[in-house]
């Protein structure tokens, strides 16, 4: 079940995401400011004619996912860091979602290989009619074969127009799920870890998504929610995109109201155990009859 009309938009979005991803590889290095990396990536997405699928995620070491810098972030990529860059470009709500990892320690080659090889093995097995459970088995076995762990509670996902996280594609063995069909767009992202293979939500949240309308007397909150719905629809956005140096306090209060009232869905940072390292490679794929087309 899919809409033919979505395919050209997914193809365009994939190309834009791929271009931004490949350009970013030149600027991600120890000492680089994290905010500069995020803003460069987002700038390239716009330059290529896309809109944001979600904020650029720059997740370091045991942070597995969902870190995007606040507007006043002054931090830099540390020496010896394992850095995940995850970005998304949207064309009319169809998102190309892609990620890669760089290891500046020189000590985690196997870890990166585990994630990248798992992704490649899955790509080689994708075809219409395959059960997603088979893909999870490939992920877990490939990663375990490299002597590290798959993160069990992070999954790939189907992508539909204006729905980044559709039906999930678990990356573990022993799961019987749904079947892929020709024309579906899916994102595959097996996470490999030197930790215990589980992520927990951290205290910080920089990424949110519209969840539902609420009634509020707070005019700022009402206006903000209307702006969020118009600009980002049902795709994730960064608090940084809303709270800039002008009127910071006012917008922070409005954001708090929307979050506590459940109008926004929060995506807290996801953490593996202290001292561990996490690698992630991700591509968006279009399922074909006997294989798949790589969109990013
Ligand atoms: Mn991603
Ligand atoms: Mn994804």
């Amino acid at each position: 079940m899919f809409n033919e009309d979505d395919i050209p938009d997914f193809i365009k979005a994939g190309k834009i995401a791929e271009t931004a991803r490949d350009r970013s590889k030149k600027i991600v290095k120890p000492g680089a400011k994290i905010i500069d990396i995020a803003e460069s990536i987002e700038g390239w997405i716009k330059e290529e004619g896309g809109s944001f699928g979600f904020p650029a995620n720059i997740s370091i070491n045991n942070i597995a996912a969902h870190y995007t810098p606040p507007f006043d972030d002054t931090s830099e990529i540390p020496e010896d860091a394992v850095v995940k860059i995850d970005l998304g470009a949207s064309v009319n709500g169809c998102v190309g979602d892609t990620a890669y990892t760089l290891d500046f320690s020189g000590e985690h080659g196997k870890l990166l290989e585990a994630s990248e090889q798992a992704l490649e093995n899955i790509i080689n097995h994708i075809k219409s009619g395959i059960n997603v459970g088979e893909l999870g088995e490939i992920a877990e076995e490939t990663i375990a074969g490299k002597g590290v762990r798959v993160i069990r509670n992070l999954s790939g996902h189907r992508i539909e127009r204006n729905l980044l996280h559709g039906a999930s594609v678990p990356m573990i063995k022993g799961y019987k799920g749904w079947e892929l069909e020709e024309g579906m767009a899916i994102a595959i992202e097996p996470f490999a870890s030197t930790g215990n293979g589980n992520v927990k939500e951290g205290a910080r949240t920089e990424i949110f998504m519209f969840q539902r309308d609420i009634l509020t007397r707070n005019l700022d909150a009402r206006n903000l929610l209307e702006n969020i719905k118009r600009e980002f629809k049902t795709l994730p956005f960064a608090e940084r995109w809303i709270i800039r140096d002008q009127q910071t306090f006012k917008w922070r209060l409005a954001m708090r109201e929307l979050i506590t009232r459940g109008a926004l869905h929060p995506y807290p940072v996801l953490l593996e155990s202290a001292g561990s390292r996490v690698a992630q490679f991700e591509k968006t794929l279009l399922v074909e009859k006997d294989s798949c087309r790589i969109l990013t």
Side-chain angles (χ1 to χ4, degrees), residues 16 64 91 107 182 186 204 217 226 250-251 290:
I16 296 166
V91 171
E107 289 169 14
E182 200 176 342
I186 56 167
R204 293 188 69 153
R217 287 173 197 276
E226 286 314 307
K250 167 177 146 167
W251 293 124
D290 299 309

Side-chain angles (χ1 to χ4, degrees), residues 54 57 65-66 85-88 95-99 157 159 164-165 187-189 191 280-284:
F54 53 86
N57 285 216
H66 297 171
I85 303 290
D86 191 340
L87 60 99
V95 177
D97 181 3
T98 189
H157 48 101
I159 307 175
L164 177 61
H165 294 119
I188 297 294
E189 47 183 321
F191 284 77
Q280 172 207 19
F281 286 83
E282 177 176 24
K283 285 182 185 290
T284 299

Side-chain angles (χ1 to χ4, degrees), residues 37-217:
I37 297 171
E39 288 182 342
S40 297
I41 289 171
E42 291 163 5
W44 294 326
I45 289 171
K46 285 277 181 194
E47 210 177 290
E48 295 292 326
S51 50
F52 304 144
F54 53 86
N57 285 216
I58 300 160
S59 303
I60 293 170
N61 293 339
N62 71 313
I63 301 175
H66 297 171
Y67 184 79
T68 199
F71 76 91
D72 56 354
D73 192 308
T74 56
S75 62
E76 299 175 352
I77 303 283
E79 301 291 326
D80 298 335
V82 172
V83 184
K84 278 82 60 193
I85 303 290
D86 191 340
L87 60 99
S90 161
V91 171
N92 302 318
C94 294
V95 177
D97 181 3
T98 189
Y100 67 96
T101 304
L102 295 174
D103 169 30
F104 295 106
S105 73
E107 289 169 14
H108 295 289
K110 280 266 180 231
L111 177 73
L112 271 61
E113 232 177 85
S115 168
E116 196 166 23
Q117 187 70 59
L119 173 59
E120 196 182 318
N121 290 349
I122 290 171
I123 288 173
N124 290 334
H125 280 81
I126 286 181
K127 59 181 176 185
S128 174
I130 197 170
N131 191 290
V132 295
E134 288 185 52
L135 307 181
E137 182 164 346
I138 294 168
E140 184 164 2
E141 286 190 345
T142 305
I143 290 171
K146 299 279 180 189
V148 289
R149 291 194 167 129
V150 71
I151 296 186
R152 304 181 62 82
N153 57 345
L154 289 176
S155 298
H157 48 101
R158 185 175 173 195
I159 307 175
E160 296 175 73
R161 196 185 291 275
N162 294 318
L163 178 65
L164 177 61
H165 294 119
S168 43
V169 183
M171 294 283 100
I172 51 171
K173 278 197 274 201
Y175 171 84
K176 184 83 178 155
W178 49 284
E179 285 176 3
L180 298 184
E181 288 172 33
E182 200 176 342
M184 282 180 175
I186 56 167
I188 297 294
E189 47 183 321
F191 284 77
S193 169
T194 63
N196 56 28
N198 218 45
V199 287
K200 293 194 172 73
E201 293 184 350
R204 293 188 69 153
T205 307
E206 297 292 342
I207 302 173
F208 298 89
M209 189 176 72
F210 169 70
Q211 181 160 260
R212 62 182 177 87
D213 282 308
I214 54 160
L215 292 172
T216 172
R217 287 173 197 276

Side-chain angles (χ1 to χ4, degrees), residues 229-265:
K229 285 163 64 179
R230 192 182 55 243
E231 273 197 62
F232 314 123
K233 303 207 165 58
T234 50
L235 293 174
F237 63 91
E239 185 167 295
R240 158 170 59 85
W241 293 345
I242 288 164
I243 297 175
R244 305 176 221 273
D245 25 15
Q246 299 297 311
Q247 300 179 302
T248 298
F249 185 68
K250 167 177 146 167
W251 293 124
R252 270 196 205 284
L253 281 181
M255 274 296 283
R256 286 319 109 190
E257 162 101 6
L258 296 179
I259 294 161
T260 52
R261 297 284 309 280
L264 302 179
H265 174 81

